[in-house]
Amino acid sequence: MADQAENSEQSEQEALPKIDTSVPQSARIWNYWLGGKDNYEVDRVAGDAFREIFPGIETGARAARYFLARAVRHLAGEEGVRQFLDIGTGLPNVDNTHQIAQRVAPESRIVYVDNDPLVLAHARALLTSTPEGVTNYVDADLRDPATILREAGKTLDFDKPVALMLMGILGHIEDHDEACAIVRELVAGLPSGSFLVQYDSTATSEAYVQAIQQYNEGGSIPYILRSPEQLARYFDGLELLEPGVASCSRWRPDTEAWGLPAEVHQYGGVARKS
């Protein structure tokens, strides 16, 4: 563990010259809301200001995290998926995609994709695989699906089902039609029997809309809240699993969801490619 912590610190120091700590960044703010330590003062100030307007953000963050866990467990367990492509990884937290999947099936193969230098530094240092499985990392932008698929194909077998995970990332694509086109291109590169797992925050709370407006005016990469109906468009042409696109706390809830409200303003769904 000491060696692992030393490697993490060294990797972070190597990434620091590329990191702008003068502007809050969504992955670091999300990490702060989830109780993590991989954030800076500018992120904590922005996170606190957001929470003052919309106090429910931490509850929503937890609900989204538990949605990820339940979706991965379902796919690895009941659907037999052994490959995961997680784009927009975010900073490592408790129970990341590979840990959940490999707990069910140690031979699972996971590719993480991000283009934030701090995220990549932590991922390479901390997100290690089981001996039976594989975990790899790709430095790429969501707006470049061809590169993502090409690089992921060096680790994943695209002749077998893959779970494509787009967790809270499509809101950073300002044009909704462009976001839909990116999803279509990524899904088109996957074989039949693959799955799309997706959630994003929604414009279902006036306070949330106000908090996002303030956040976007602070110089960060903008995040666009959309309606649940707009999120449902990402699943066009796919077979949605029950209960469809729903509040993250209502997607197949289990004991993790105890204490969460039935309605949070993060909506998600899981769908199969025929």
Side-chain angles (χ1 to χ4, degrees):
M1 290 297 291
D3 289 343
Q4 195 174 61
E6 183 178 343
N7 291 339
S8 175
E9 184 176 352
Q10 181 179 350
S11 297
E12 182 174 344
Q13 290 300 318
E14 291 171 353
L16 284 177
K18 303 177 183 178
I19 297 170
D20 184 356
T21 60
S22 66
V23 177
Q25 199 267 354
S26 61
R28 301 194 308 250
I29 296 173
W30 206 254
N31 174 267
Y32 172 55
W33 285 331
L34 286 169
K37 305 297 182 184
D38 299 315
N39 47 73
Y40 297 99
E41 180 65 20
V42 66
D43 307 307
R44 295 187 285 273
V45 169
D48 289 341
F50 196 108
R51 186 169 47 199
E52 284 183 13
I53 300 173
F54 181 61
I57 186 59
E58 290 181 341
T59 299
R62 292 201 315 274
R65 193 72 187 176
Y66 296 152
F67 165 70
L68 179 153
R70 294 196 303 278
V72 172
R73 279 200 301 269
H74 172 78
L75 294 178
E78 297 182 40
E79 303 290 349
V81 175
R82 296 294 179 264
Q83 302 188 109
F84 295 80
L85 176 56
D86 189 338
I87 303 176
T89 306
L91 287 160
N93 211 298
V94 176
D95 272 358
N96 302 285
T97 297
H98 75 286
Q99 292 166 316
I100 301 164
Q102 292 181 342
R103 197 175 296 141
V104 176
E107 71 274 22
S108 296
R109 306 172 74 86
I110 295 88
V111 170
Y112 289 105
V113 180
D114 212 300
N115 66 345
D116 180 272
L118 182 59
V119 169
L120 290 167
H122 278 266
R124 292 185 177 115
L126 299 177
L127 298 181
T128 55
S129 174
T130 59
E132 303 93 329
V134 175
T135 302
N136 209 343
Y137 319 94
V138 171
D139 183 354
D141 193 291
L142 175 62
R143 291 176 175 83
D144 189 3
T147 294
I148 291 173
L149 291 169
R150 183 185 68 245
E151 294 302 310
K154 297 176 181 178
T155 300
L156 305 178
D157 180 355
F158 282 172
D159 289 328
K160 298 177 181 179
V162 176
L164 169 64
M165 305 186 63
L166 298 168
M167 312 302 279
I169 189 68
L170 291 171
H172 287 301
I173 306 298
E174 294 188 56
D175 183 86
H176 187 232
D177 287 337
E178 180 185 1
C180 290
I182 289 170
V183 175
R184 284 197 301 271
E185 185 172 347
L186 288 167
V187 170
L190 305 179
S192 297
S194 293
F195 290 83
L196 169 63
V197 185
Q198 194 275 331
Y199 88 81
D200 263 300
S201 297
T202 58
T204 47
S205 161
E206 184 176 341
Y208 205 169
V209 171
Q210 292 175 359
I212 283 287
Q213 287 175 343
Q214 176 177 285
Y215 170 81
N216 289 345
E217 291 167 359
S220 302
I221 297 173
Y223 185 91
I224 308 302
L225 296 177
R226 297 190 166 109
S227 68
E229 291 75 21
Q230 286 177 304
L231 300 192
R233 281 190 55 196
Y234 298 139
F235 299 96
D236 284 354
L238 304 176
E239 178 191 350
L240 270 167
L241 305 189
E242 292 294 336
V245 177
S247 169
C248 282
S249 56
R250 288 193 284 109
W251 196 91
R252 305 192 177 198
D254 57 14
T255 55
E256 285 181 331
W258 288 358
L260 291 174
E263 191 71 17
V264 296
H265 302 287
Q266 288 72 28
Y267 275 59
V270 179
R272 180 186 291 105
K273 179 179 178 179
S274 299

